């Protein structure tokens, strides 16, 4: 593993970020290294999208309900927050543009997932995984994937009244 890490760092000059990702594996796979964060999944979402906010509020309530005596399973990170830092390893390098184009999540071990898979994992963690099992059926998986891609493509136009391109340009204009 160290040789692979060294080669990737040398070849791609990923520096601090790559070291953080490679050193943040689960305790069972690397002899006890720390996780990136205490929760099991960090979902990067757009709080200015009413549909997204509704979904995240539901998941947060469900997580809180199940986590009375155990740690929470979900961390929710608002990509629209002024504090959002894509370079923070717990955010998996998800840029504003990528995060706005599709939902992303980062596991505590540093693996980035996106799209329908995020919902399946989140619902599984809050005890409702059965709701998304059908999305894994071979006959429905491509249809569900296509449906999500169509929603994601037009989401900002529908929920925010602006194209993804315009939102990204406005966001870049806010950065010093």
């Amino acid at each position: 593993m160290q040789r692979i890490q060294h080669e990737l760092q040398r070849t791609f000059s990923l520096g601090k970020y790559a070291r953080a990702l490679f050193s943040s594996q689960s305790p069972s796979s690397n002899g006890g290294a720390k996780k990136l964060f205490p929760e099991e999944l960090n979902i990067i979402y757009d709080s200015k999208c009413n549909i997204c906010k509704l979904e995240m509020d539901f998941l947060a309530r469900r997580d809180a309900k199940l986590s009375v005596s155990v740690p929470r399973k979900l961390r929710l990170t608002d990509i629209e927050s002024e504090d959002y830092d894509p370079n923070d390893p717990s955010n998996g390098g998800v840029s504003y543009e990528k995060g706005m184009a599709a939902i992303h999540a980062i596991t505590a071990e540093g693996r980035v997932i996106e799209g329908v898979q995020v919902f399946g994992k989140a619902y599984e963690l809050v005890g409702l995984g059965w709701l998304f099992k059908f999305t894994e059926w071979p006959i429905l998986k491509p249809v569900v994937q296509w449906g999500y891609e169509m929603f994601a493509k037009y989401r900002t136009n529908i929920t925010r009244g602006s194209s993804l391109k315009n939102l990204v340009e406005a966001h870049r204009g806010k950065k010093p």
Side-chain angles (χ1 to χ4, degrees):
M1 182 66 175
Q2 287 180 337
R3 183 169 182 244
I4 293 170
Q5 176 185 0
H6 175 72
E7 288 299 316
L8 282 172
Q9 287 174 348
R10 192 181 62 136
T11 304
F12 297 108
S13 301
L14 295 176
K16 263 191 337 189
Y17 181 66
R19 283 192 296 279
L21 282 178
F22 281 104
S23 66
S24 303
Q25 297 172 357
S26 68
S28 61
S29 66
N30 68 355
K34 292 192 177 217
K35 299 188 319 181
L36 289 173
F37 42 84
E39 301 85 359
E40 293 186 37
L41 191 67
N42 180 20
I43 303 173
I44 310 295
Y45 77 104
D46 173 11
S47 66
K48 293 182 180 177
C49 163
N50 290 331
I51 294 171
C52 306
K53 181 87 170 91
L54 186 69
E55 186 86 15
M56 293 305 116
D57 288 348
F58 169 75
L59 288 168
R61 281 191 311 273
R62 177 76 182 182
D63 191 24
K65 180 180 176 184
L66 295 176
S67 302
V68 174
S69 61
V70 296
R72 293 222 174 167
K73 304 280 187 188
L74 302 177
R75 170 185 280 198
L76 305 177
T77 301
D78 179 9
I79 200 162
E80 284 288 359
S81 168
E82 289 183 21
D83 297 334
Y84 181 75
D85 179 5
N87 297 316
D88 179 340
S90 66
N91 293 332
V94 176
S95 67
Y96 181 82
E97 185 171 4
K98 278 178 65 177
M100 292 295 283
I103 193 162
H104 286 71
I106 298 80
T107 66
E109 293 78 27
R111 187 170 65 93
V112 178
I113 58 177
E114 70 177 281
V116 176
Q117 188 180 5
V118 171
F119 296 106
K121 182 70 173 167
Y123 274 74
E124 177 185 313
L125 289 171
V126 297
L128 297 172
W130 58 271
L131 287 171
F132 275 84
K133 285 296 178 199
F134 76 93
T135 66
E136 298 169 6
W137 297 348
I139 195 142
L140 291 179
K141 191 173 186 171
V143 174
V144 170
Q145 186 62 34
W146 178 84
Y148 176 77
E149 288 171 4
M150 288 298 103
F151 170 75
K153 183 176 182 177
Y154 298 106
R155 176 188 69 82
T156 60
N157 292 12
I158 296 165
T159 65
R160 308 245 333 237
S162 184
S163 70
L164 175 60
K165 180 182 176 188
N166 289 343
L167 289 172
V168 169
E169 287 174 4
H171 181 75
R172 285 185 183 137
K174 287 193 270 185
K175 296 292 176 183

